């Protein structure tokens, strides 16, 4: 069965991550059988509902299937050894073919893992015990589902930022932080969104929530540099007046420096860097090497992989070492 035919090829939480973050349900109850047979009518309660408590594996089999008979004792042994982290539900497709047909099961044995009411992973064929254990450990890991959901949400937030939808990104980052308050990528991402939305004070408050031992994280440092730049830009004068001053006197390094700050705040990174490089080319010592220091602060805020950083670093190297 190819991935295009397989409804289980997507990752955990991928369908809903653009709007919310879901992490499954409560811990499984201590009582109750870990392994049971189900029917078409019982599937909703035994699998869909139960998977909101812990992952449920559905073993689609038939009495005539030789590999099914090989897999049964293996998967039952590993499920029992998992100690309640996962349950196994067995469905005889000869007696109950409807669910397998709806899910596109084309050969057996087929084992599908459900979590939070949705199919999240699966395998086909009689795997050895070691591979079955690896599969169950991945599905039933105490934090595995949550971690996958968080990463899916962070990816969705990144996409929202790239699309210019800062409000949507704020909602996603906030949902992640509601579950994991010290999640660094979400804290830094939320702060960046708030800066872009013009809420500097709230962005600072978010960065204050970063744990002390994670302050050196690159994304946090970048967000802090961005806050500092926004603070500096807010204290500058009228950009139109700065442009007029610079047109009248191209050697007015302070006007050029201040204009660079405005251009950066407006998202015109290449132009901002070029103004600072122009100051360095004319007078490297101006303001105690202030243009170079400010350019390095831009790099911190933009991130090392940003195209503007890469371009300006090449120009800076040419200027310094030519």
């Amino acid at each position: 069965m190819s991935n295009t035919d397989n409804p289980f090829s997507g990752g955990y939480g991928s369908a809903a991550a653009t709007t919310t973050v879901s992490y499954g349900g409560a811990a499984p109850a201590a009582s109750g059988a870990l392994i049971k047979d189900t029917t078409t009518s019982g599937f909703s309660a035994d699998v869909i509902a139960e998977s909101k408590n812990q992952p449920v594996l559905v073993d689609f089999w038939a009495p005539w299937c030789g590999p099914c008979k090989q897999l049964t004792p293996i998967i039952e042994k590993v499920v029992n050894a998992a100690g309640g982290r996962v349950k196994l539900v067995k469905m005889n497709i000869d007696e109950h073919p409807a669910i397998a047909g709806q899910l596109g099961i084309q050969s057996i044995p087929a084992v599908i893992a459900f979590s939070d009411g949705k199919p999240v992973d699966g395998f086909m064929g009689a795997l050895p015990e070691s591979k079955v254990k690896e599969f169950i450990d991945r599905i039933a890991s105490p934090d595995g589902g949550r971690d996958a959901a968080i990463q899916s949400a962070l990816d969705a937030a990144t996409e929202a930022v790239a699309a210019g939808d800062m409000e949507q990104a704020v909602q996603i980052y906030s949902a992640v932080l509601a579950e994991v308050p010290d999640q660094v990528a979400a804290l830094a991402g939320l702060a960046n969104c708030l800066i872009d939305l013009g809420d500097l004070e709230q962005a600072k408050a978010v960065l204050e929530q970063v744990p002390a031992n994670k302050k050196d994280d690159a994304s946090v440092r970048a967000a802090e540099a961005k806050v500092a730049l926004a603070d500096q830009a807010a204290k500058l004068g009228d950009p139109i007046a700065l442009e007029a001053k610079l047109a009248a006197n191209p050697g007015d390094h302070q006007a050029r420096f201040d204009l660079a700050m405005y251009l950066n705040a407006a998202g015109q990174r290449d132009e901002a860097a070029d103004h600072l490089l122009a100051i360095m080319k004319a007078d490297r010592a101006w303001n105690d090497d202030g243009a170079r220091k400010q350019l390095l602060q831009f790099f911190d805020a933009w991130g090392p992989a940003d195209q503007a950083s890469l371009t300006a670093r090449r120009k800076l190297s040419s200027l310094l070492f030519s």
Side-chain angles (χ1 to χ4, degrees):
M1 182 165 57
S2 68
N3 281 343
T4 56
D5 297 324
N6 184 0
F8 318 106
S9 58
Y12 180 93
S14 58
T18 55
T19 57
T20 187
V21 182
S22 179
Y23 302 102
S31 61
L34 296 177
I35 302 170
K36 68 180 299 184
D37 293 299
T38 194
T39 63
T40 302
S41 61
F43 188 86
S44 179
D46 293 339
V47 178
I48 303 302
E50 188 61 29
S51 71
K52 295 181 180 180
N53 297 323
Q54 76 286 302
V56 174
L57 306 185
V58 183
D59 177 13
F60 294 93
W61 68 285
W64 48 262
C65 171
C68 297
K69 296 176 182 178
Q70 297 174 24
L71 178 64
T72 295
I74 294 173
I75 195 168
E76 289 184 353
K77 176 183 176 182
V78 179
V79 167
N80 280 318
R85 292 187 298 139
V86 63
K87 289 188 175 182
L88 175 65
V89 171
K90 299 159 66 176
M91 176 167 272
N92 182 337
I93 65 169
D94 280 356
E95 296 178 356
H96 305 282
I99 300 295
Q102 291 171 10
L103 294 176
I105 303 297
Q106 297 179 357
S107 65
I108 54 173
V111 176
I112 307 304
F114 282 73
S115 182
D116 200 24
K118 301 180 292 292
V120 295
D121 205 345
F123 67 85
M124 300 177 66
L127 298 183
E129 182 177 334
S130 61
K131 294 299 183 182
V132 174
K133 185 177 185 303
E134 287 178 10
F135 177 80
I136 290 179
D137 283 344
R138 182 172 72 250
I139 295 301
S141 172
D143 294 321
R146 186 187 71 170
D147 291 346
I150 288 174
Q151 187 56 56
S152 179
L154 292 174
D155 291 343
T158 298
E159 292 176 4
V161 170
D165 192 348
M166 297 300 168
E167 293 183 355
Q168 174 71 2
V170 165
Q171 293 178 14
I172 297 172
Y173 286 132
S174 297
V176 172
L177 292 170
E179 296 290 336
V180 189
D182 62 349
Q183 216 291 330
V184 173
L187 287 168
L190 179 57
N192 277 311
C193 290
L194 292 169
I195 295 167
D196 290 338
L197 291 170
D199 194 345
L200 284 183
E201 294 308 313
Q202 188 61 36
K204 293 176 184 177
V206 168
L207 290 174
E208 288 176 357
Q209 299 174 34
V210 176
N213 63 342
K214 297 180 180 179
K215 290 286 188 182
D216 287 336
D217 185 90
S219 63
V220 173
R221 293 201 309 269
E224 289 175 340
K226 194 172 180 180
V227 167
L229 290 174
D231 271 338
Q232 293 173 32
K235 299 173 183 177
L236 299 176
D238 181 3
I240 297 177
L242 292 173
E243 290 177 347
K245 288 177 66 177
L246 196 56
N249 179 14
D252 188 337
H253 297 330
Q254 187 62 56
R256 190 179 295 279
F257 182 92
D258 291 348
L259 184 58
M261 299 295 294
Y262 262 111
L263 290 170
N264 173 68
Q268 296 175 256
R269 295 178 174 180
D270 290 329
E271 294 83 350
D274 285 344
H275 276 297
L276 294 178
L277 289 165
I279 295 173
M280 293 179 60
K281 186 174 182 180
D283 184 358
R284 170 67 184 276
W286 177 80
N287 198 24
D288 192 24
D289 200 17
R292 185 185 65 86
K293 292 176 181 177
Q294 185 59 66
L295 186 57
L296 296 181
Q297 191 178 19
F298 281 173
F299 293 159
D300 285 341
W302 300 343
D306 186 88
Q307 188 58 51
S309 293
L310 297 173
T311 300
R313 281 191 188 279
R314 286 195 296 268
K315 293 179 180 180
L316 178 60
S317 296
S318 297
L319 183 60
L320 294 177
F321 302 113
S322 60

